[in-house]
């Protein structure tokens, strides 16, 4: 099974398991969430009445093209379920997100969600966060070099994310530093508390105690839930 097939089966399994007619649904961002949005579009075409909130301009455009009704987050009081990808998942279902650049809206949407369902293929599983992926940190453009020094003091090497020769700019108009930790992240909760007090930091890519469940697809075509529930 190739990487795209693994993303598709886990995304479709998550939608078919968690999305029910009449729900408010959060739409994730990235190449795995792409397949979930396409599947949600099929449900809408089949007559489901869903109200959706997107975590990025990219996902909003895809959703509208797929015939999905998209509203602002403030138009709903809560989301019943959000289906989103992740860059790393540890055995306690703690996550690193944001390589797709949408971590700020993803975290706001997750906070408004009853069931945050994460969809990954097995390549995203790690014993310790920060060992495969860098930790993305979204920062204000103003004084961002100073913010970088403060991030560096947390024991990482922060690299300004670039796109087409210029700094990558998020949907919120900010920059991202991808922070590499040589030994991975020993204590994600402590690190988050240190990063969040740095002036200039808008949001970090640690999603701690956020996942209601994580669905994982494997090379052999199976999908399992980290909560231990049946799929
Ligand atoms: C975007 C994200 C994505 O969910 C994450 O990067 C995973 O993306 P993909 O499914 O393409 O690997 O956090 O900000």
């Amino acid at each position: 099974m190739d990487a795209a097939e693994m993303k598709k089966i886990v995304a479709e399994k998550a939608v078919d398991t968690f999305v029910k007619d009449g729900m408010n649904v959060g739409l994730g961002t990235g190449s795995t969430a792409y397949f979930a949005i396409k599947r949600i579009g099929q449900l809408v075409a089949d007559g489901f009445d869903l109200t959706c909130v997107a975590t990025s301009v990219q996902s909003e455009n895809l959703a509208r093209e797929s015939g999905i009704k998209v509203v602002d987050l403030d138009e709903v009081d809560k989301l019943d379920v959000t289906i989103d990808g992740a860059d790393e998942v540890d055995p306690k279902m703690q996550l690193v997100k944001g390589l797709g650049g949408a971590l700020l809206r993803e975290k706001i949407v997750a906070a408004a969600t009853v069931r945050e369902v994460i969809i990954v293929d097995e390549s995203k599983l790690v014993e310790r966060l920060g060992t495969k992926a860098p930790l993305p940190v979204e920062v204000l453009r103003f004084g961002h070099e100073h913010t970088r020094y403060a991030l560096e003091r947390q024991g990482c090497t922060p690299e300004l994310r670039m796109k087409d020769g210029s700094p990558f700019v998020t949907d919120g108009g900010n920059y991202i530093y991808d922070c590499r930790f040589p030994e991975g992240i020993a204590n994600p909760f402590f690190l988050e508390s240190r990063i969040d007090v740095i002036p200039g930091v808008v949001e970090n890519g640690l999603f701690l105690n956020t996942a209601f469940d994580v669905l994982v697809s494997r090379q052999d075509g199976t999908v399992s839930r980290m909560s231990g529930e049946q799929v």
Side-chain angles (χ1 to χ4, degrees):
M1 196 165 252
D2 69 24
E5 284 171 325
M6 286 167 74
K7 291 174 191 211
K8 187 165 186 275
I9 56 163
V10 71
E12 293 186 346
K13 180 63 80 176
V15 172
D16 294 349
T17 305
F18 289 100
V19 177
K20 310 289 178 213
D21 192 17
M23 279 186 165
N24 295 336
V25 181
L27 307 173
T29 295
S31 57
T32 317
Y34 166 90
F35 290 108
I37 296 171
K38 297 300 274 185
R39 183 69 174 169
I40 289 167
Q42 285 171 0
L43 295 182
V44 169
D46 290 345
F48 272 46
D49 179 19
L50 303 174
T51 300
C52 296
V53 171
T55 52
S56 62
V57 172
Q58 182 192 334
S59 291
E60 181 171 345
N61 291 340
L62 175 65
R64 291 195 198 282
E65 284 163 21
S66 309
I68 299 169
K69 180 170 73 184
V70 182
V71 301
D72 283 346
L73 180 58
D74 285 339
E75 291 181 54
V76 296
D77 59 352
K78 67 175 170 50
L79 294 162
D80 299 293
V81 62
T82 291
I83 298 179
D84 203 351
D87 302 303
E88 286 187 338
V89 180
D90 82 2
K92 293 182 175 162
M93 298 201 295
Q94 312 295 10
L95 319 170
V96 165
K97 286 178 54 52
L99 285 190
L103 67 109
L104 176 56
R105 287 194 192 182
E106 287 173 335
K107 205 176 258 194
I108 295 170
V109 167
T113 297
V114 178
R115 290 181 170 191
E116 176 82 6
V117 176
I118 298 299
I119 48 175
V120 293
D121 61 71
E122 61 186 339
S123 70
K124 306 288 186 64
L125 301 180
V126 294
E127 282 304 310
R128 177 184 271 201
L129 295 178
T131 45
K132 282 189 181 174
L135 175 67
V137 179
E138 184 158 343
V139 304
L140 281 182
R141 286 196 243 186
F142 179 81
H144 69 91
E145 286 286 350
H146 289 264
T147 309
R148 182 176 71 80
Y149 296 140
L151 287 169
E152 216 167 37
R153 286 199 292 272
Q154 308 312 314
C156 63
T157 309
E159 192 175 316
L160 183 63
R161 191 179 298 182
M162 303 294 286
K163 187 179 178 191
D164 302 329
S166 303
F168 171 82
V169 178
T170 68
D171 287 346
N174 303 308
Y175 287 166
I176 288 181
Y177 276 99
D178 289 311
C179 300
R180 288 216 173 263
F181 290 82
E183 310 277 311
I185 299 169
N187 187 335
F189 287 90
F190 179 70
L191 179 66
E192 178 169 54
S193 71
R194 300 292 304 152
I195 289 178
D196 281 352
V197 295
I198 297 172
V201 167
V202 178
E203 195 47 85
N204 71 82
L206 286 165
F207 282 57
L208 305 178
N209 293 350
T210 303
F212 168 79
D213 208 343
V214 178
L215 272 64
V216 184
S217 59
R218 297 182 190 274
Q219 284 283 352
D220 62 8
T222 58
V223 176
S224 56
R225 286 173 66 172
M226 285 183 76
S227 64
E229 297 288 317
Q230 291 289 325
V231 269

